[in-house]
Amino acid sequence: MSTAATQITPEIVAEHGLSPEEYDRVLNALGREPNLTELGIFSVMWSEHCSYKSSRIHLKKLPTEGPQVICGPGENAGVVDIGDGQAAIFKMESHNHPSYIEPYQGAATGVGGILRDVFTMGARPVANMNALRFGRPDHPKMKHLISGVVHGIGGYGNCVGVPTVGGEVNFHPAYDGNILVNAMTVGVAETDKIFYSAASGIGNPIVYVGSKTGRDGIHGATMASADFGDDADAKRPTVQVGDPFTEKLLIEACLELMASDAIVAIQDMGAAGLTSSSVEMASKGGVGIQLNMDDVPQRETGMTAYEMMLSESQERMLMVLQPGKEAFAEAIFRKWELDFAVIGHVTDTGRMVLVHKGETVCDIPLAPLADDAPLYDRPSMPKEDYKAWAKVEPLGEIAENSDIGADLVKLMGSPDIASRRWIWEQYDHMVGADTVQRPGGDAAVVRVHGTQKGIAISTDCTPRYCYADPYEGGKQAIAECYRNISAVGATPLAVTNCLNFANPQRPEIMAQLTGCLDGMGDACRAFDFPIVSGNVSLYNESKATGGGSAILPTPAIGGIGLLKDIDVMATVAFKNEGDAIWLIGGQGTHLGQSIWLREIAGREAGEAPKVDLAAERAHAETVRALIADGKVSAVHDISDGGLLVAVAEMALASGKGAELSTELTTAAAFGEDQGRYVVTAAAGVDIPGAVKIGTVGGDQVAGVSLADLRSAHEGFFPNLMDAEL
């Protein structure tokens, strides 16, 4: 039986992730019953992953404009001006569910997809980052997941020739059954050669390029829009398979064609594949589209229009070309050994029409698919009700610890603070020869090729703060990214994000989402740090055996900043014996939700630290000025683990110890108060408003040898993964 003749039953509608109310909207939009191909197209375009139906109403609250912004949300990636006729193009996206089901390919195709989002706009990708969240290190499945994800990121990024320059990793039991893999790419383009996705020109040819279409990834977007049951392994066929060598060819072919005037519009085929790319191009341009499915390059026999439209086979792009440029474009793609096919044309009907084997198998209006997709203002718990639901216990009295050094050793070897060297050494972070600050610092820095400019990049979020207080956690995620970029001397420019939350149909989860967004928005406004692109990943929870339920709220932030001269850049390593160590931002007092409390006291309790946005901005501006004036020799922001962990990290990066001149209480040593930095300066240099806390020298920190600290710090991942140091 052909897909066109399949009887649409309530069961089939439910299998496609549409509610009865949403199916009624389909009937109203069409004025008739859909066939299976049409139902499939509605289902993916109205999935949470593609339509943002639970979050669109709240995303509109975010600040998205600024003098540096060339293009904000709505395109494949965000675009900001970096001067000299150049732009940085960047975005972060999730590949969470695929990476849990099949970690190598899930992570690899996450990297491939975000690369396409960037180079489809005309940028050459210059850096990749990632933000990873895993469950308990001793969970029986976690070692397999960590290994697969890390090898998938490295396997794809290394082969495609784009350096992976940094990222972050957290561990928490809340991710046992639903890990998070968020990938970020930054590219550089000429401001007069930026490409957009709105189709135009009635009769213009629609061209398919890249790899052939197969049956992998069908229903990938729908799968990513539902939580996990016990059948996670059965969803393996919904995970795409990537080929980084083809992606490299696709990058070069696209950039070569982009040097001409042949392209009218271009869109990568990501989630929902040919469906989303064609619908988005046509709807943004206010035009119609007609495709002949017989002309779609296929690698499997007997594919139906339904399968071709919903496949998420990788390394594919869709273009609208100037008429008469088909042969010119085809010659470029054939030279790079890629498929090229004219598969349709732009129409003036405002409809999507698909023809297969001489029959019209789809004829639907485009407006309901995109602009008129369902939009929900889901119920959200009031703040006080959320606090009661979250059951965050009060901090209470903290007994003073007499052995600060022992606590420091334990923290340096704990999962969230330990060295990530085992991970980043599997990534090629130097390919392209423009990486000027490698993984391990506050922010990665990549030279803009052929110039003295650098782009600083950081990914940040503290999910435990976001759970305890979504509003403060949202503020802190932005603030820490702003701080990390400032700590290398760069001026923060703009933000992308990946909003990872659980089931939005639960009011407590919507309270997390709206609270975090409110905090993020206030912080971005306070810092003139607009959000120009992003991704929403909901339904991140698991009912699978051995898994937890909802993840912690995780609004991962990816920020970029501009260094006008890479020679004026700060790093975390101590430089000179005898340099004074200064603390900017005051002594710590806040142990609520700290790593110390969790790892040493065995509790997750207390309030998240408050973020004073005005102080945060002022301290960052002070640090940037100190770096620009050459007054400081090393800079490190204070985050997880507090002051003493920051000092220990600076010492380990340099092999030089720290002689601290002040007795530290537990709160002063390990408090996670925000807006703070440790800087070093030559003896005799005064840092106004800062407190001198010691001197660089010796081979210890807080009475612990650097050798013992290094052993603890470097040992966690190799010991977990049974690797050699």
Side-chain angles (χ1 to χ4, degrees), residues 605-637:
E607 294 186 355
K610 297 285 190 286
V611 180
D612 181 331
L613 296 175
E616 188 81 58
R617 178 165 183 159
H619 296 161
E621 288 173 348
T622 295
V623 167
R624 294 200 299 270
L626 289 169
I627 295 168
D629 293 343
K631 289 185 176 179
V632 289
S633 49
V635 179
H636 193 11
D637 88 305

Side-chain angles (χ1 to χ4, degrees), residues 379-437:
S380 175
M381 267 187 185
K383 191 171 182 179
E384 287 307 310
D385 291 354
Y386 174 79
K387 204 170 179 180
W389 172 85
K391 295 184 175 66
V392 177
E393 65 178 73
L395 182 61
E397 288 294 315
I398 298 293
E400 192 56 47
N401 193 319
S402 59
D403 196 344
I404 295 287
D407 287 359
L408 177 61
V409 172
K410 189 169 182 182
L411 288 183
M412 296 304 288
S414 66
D416 279 9
I417 293 177
S419 168
R420 274 71 178 121
R421 184 187 303 274
W422 179 87
I423 294 178
W424 57 255
E425 282 191 343
Q426 298 183 57
Y427 303 152
D428 188 340
H429 49 272
M430 296 303 292
V431 63
D434 280 322
T435 306
V436 293
Q437 185 150 176

